[in-house]
């Protein structure tokens, strides 16, 4: 993007939270600009405009206009591309996305054997053990970078020594997981604690008696946790069951 175009776009982006009248009239100056110019617009850390202790996608006061803006971008005809990077999926995106629609969500998939390059760069030993690390941390590239650094710092790069401990080390991962879990509602915390204690993926139709949520409330909570990418879905006998990643399980268990 040329400097001139960036200079034109920035005031429009900054103005979105302040309730531009044109937004409610159905036409943002920014949207008009994206129609007349081919732009790639990337907005990072979208989760920061959402409220903590609210279900996923609930905007902080004063930021609601972003929802209308995202909806307009997704539903309007224009020549540009908007990429949102976020821990949480905006509700407006969830409502309009689809396989054959212009609006799509792409979840960062786990790295497979490609993750070994991280370990090579970090100088870890015992390549035959690397696949266990990838499985433990679900191939998350950021997590693997953090754990590889920890193994190098504490164990001189010895993966087998790291794996010899019964507990799952989190290291600097703990602060990242805390940021995510601190955003949860009380109901979400109850549900994720239940999932963390379950040995097998859980069938939510068979919730424990101490989980005081009605079926509609539980479904809303599960949807919210899914939009935060905190739960995994697995199929068992034709039914959906839910579980959480080992690192998240370890963090939740340690908090109890």
């Amino acid at each position: 993007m040329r400097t001139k175009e960036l200079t034109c776009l920035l005031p429009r982006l900054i103005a979105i939270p302040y309730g531009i009248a044109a937004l409610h009239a159905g036409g943002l100056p920014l949207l008009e600009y994206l129609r007349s110019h081919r732009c790639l617009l990337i907005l990072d850390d979208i989760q920061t405009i959402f409220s903590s202790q609210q279900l996923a996608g609930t905007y902080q006061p004063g930021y609601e206009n972003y929802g209308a803006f995202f909806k307009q971008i997704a539903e309007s005809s224009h020549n540009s591309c908007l990429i949102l990077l976020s821990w949480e999926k905006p509700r407006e995106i969830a409502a309009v996305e689809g396989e054959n629609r212009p609006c799509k969500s792409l979840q960062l998939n786990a790295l497979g054997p490609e993750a070994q390059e991280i370990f090579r760069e970090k100088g870890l030993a015992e390549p035959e053990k690397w696949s266990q690390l990838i499985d433990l941390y679900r191939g998350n590239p950021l997590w693997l970078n953090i754990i590889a650094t920890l193994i190098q710092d504490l164990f001189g790069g010895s993966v087998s020594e790291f794996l010899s401990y019964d507990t799952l080390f989190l290291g600097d991962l703990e602060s990242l997981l805390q940021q995510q879990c601190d955003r949860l509602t009380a109901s979400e915390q109850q549900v994720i604690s239940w999932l963390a204690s379950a040995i097998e993926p859980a069938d939510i139709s068979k919730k424990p008696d101490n989980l005081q949520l009605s079926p509609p409330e539980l479904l809303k909570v599960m949807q919210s946790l899914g939009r935060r990418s905190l739960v995994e879905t697995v199929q068992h006998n034709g039914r959906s069951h839910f579980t959480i990643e080992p690192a998240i399980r370890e963090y939740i268990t340690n908090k109890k």
Side-chain angles (χ1 to χ4, degrees):
M1 184 181 294
R2 295 190 298 270
T3 302
K4 181 179 178 181
E5 291 177 339
L6 183 60
T7 303
C8 290
L9 278 173
L10 282 176
R12 293 169 168 83
L13 287 172
I14 294 170
I16 291 174
Y18 296 102
I20 310 169
L23 175 62
H24 302 288
L28 267 175
L30 175 57
L31 182 57
E32 295 171 6
Y33 192 90
L34 296 179
R35 281 174 174 155
S36 58
H37 297 74
R38 291 179 63 84
C39 301
L40 172 61
L41 190 58
I42 302 174
L43 303 182
D44 198 2
D45 284 337
I46 292 299
Q47 75 278 353
T48 59
I49 65 176
F50 297 134
S51 294
S52 294
Q53 286 83 56
Q54 299 287 335
L55 293 178
T58 303
Y59 292 92
Q60 294 185 45
Y63 288 86
E64 297 87 350
N65 282 329
Y66 273 103
F69 168 62
F70 296 153
K71 189 172 187 291
Q72 280 193 326
I73 290 291
E75 295 181 339
S76 301
S77 176
H78 55 82
N79 299 312
S80 298
C81 179
L82 173 65
I83 297 177
L84 306 178
L85 304 177
S86 180
W87 291 349
E88 298 180 21
K89 182 186 296 187
R91 297 176 184 177
E92 296 78 15
I93 299 301
V96 299
E97 67 181 341
E99 184 64 31
N100 298 314
R101 294 183 178 184
C103 180
K104 295 179 174 64
S105 290
L106 178 63
Q107 187 166 350
L108 180 63
N109 291 326
L111 295 179
E114 312 86 36
Q116 296 182 11
E117 188 60 33
I118 295 173
F119 303 147
R120 290 191 189 94
E121 291 179 356
K122 295 289 186 178
L124 299 192
E126 305 157 308
E128 70 277 6
K129 303 284 187 181
W130 291 355
S131 61
Q132 294 183 51
L133 284 180
I134 296 172
D135 290 342
L136 278 174
Y137 295 95
R138 289 298 196 268
N140 185 303
L142 176 59
W143 294 8
L144 292 174
N145 262 298
I146 290 173
I147 294 304
T149 299
L150 183 147
I151 294 173
Q152 190 60 259
D153 290 346
L154 297 184
F155 305 104
S158 173
V159 175
S160 60
E161 187 176 356
F162 172 80
L163 293 173
S164 69
Y165 288 81
D166 292 334
T167 187
L168 187 66
F169 277 92
L170 298 180
D172 292 339
L173 268 181
E174 189 166 349
S175 61
L176 294 177
L177 295 174
Q178 182 178 356
Q179 289 178 42
Q180 285 186 283
C181 291
D182 282 352
R183 300 178 64 83
L184 302 183
T185 65
S187 296
E188 286 177 305
Q189 291 176 10
Q190 291 179 44
V191 171
I192 205 167
S193 293
W194 166 45
L195 296 177
S197 63
I199 299 174
E200 299 292 336
D203 183 345
I204 61 173
S205 69
K206 301 174 182 178
K207 67 180 181 69
D209 293 337
N210 62 352
L211 193 61
Q212 300 298 314
L213 295 173
S214 68
E217 289 173 332
L218 180 57
L219 291 178
K220 286 179 66 175
V221 167
M222 293 302 302
Q223 183 181 50
S224 181
L225 290 172
R227 288 177 178 172
R228 299 185 197 273
S229 301
L230 289 176
V231 296
E232 297 178 339
T233 306
V234 295
Q235 294 297 317
H236 181 66
N237 293 332
R239 292 183 62 86
S240 294
H241 289 61
F242 299 88
T243 187
I244 58 178
E245 297 180 359
I248 298 173
R249 184 188 307 277
E250 185 71 16
Y251 174 79
I252 297 297
T253 302
N254 290 344
K255 281 186 61 180
K256 291 181 180 179

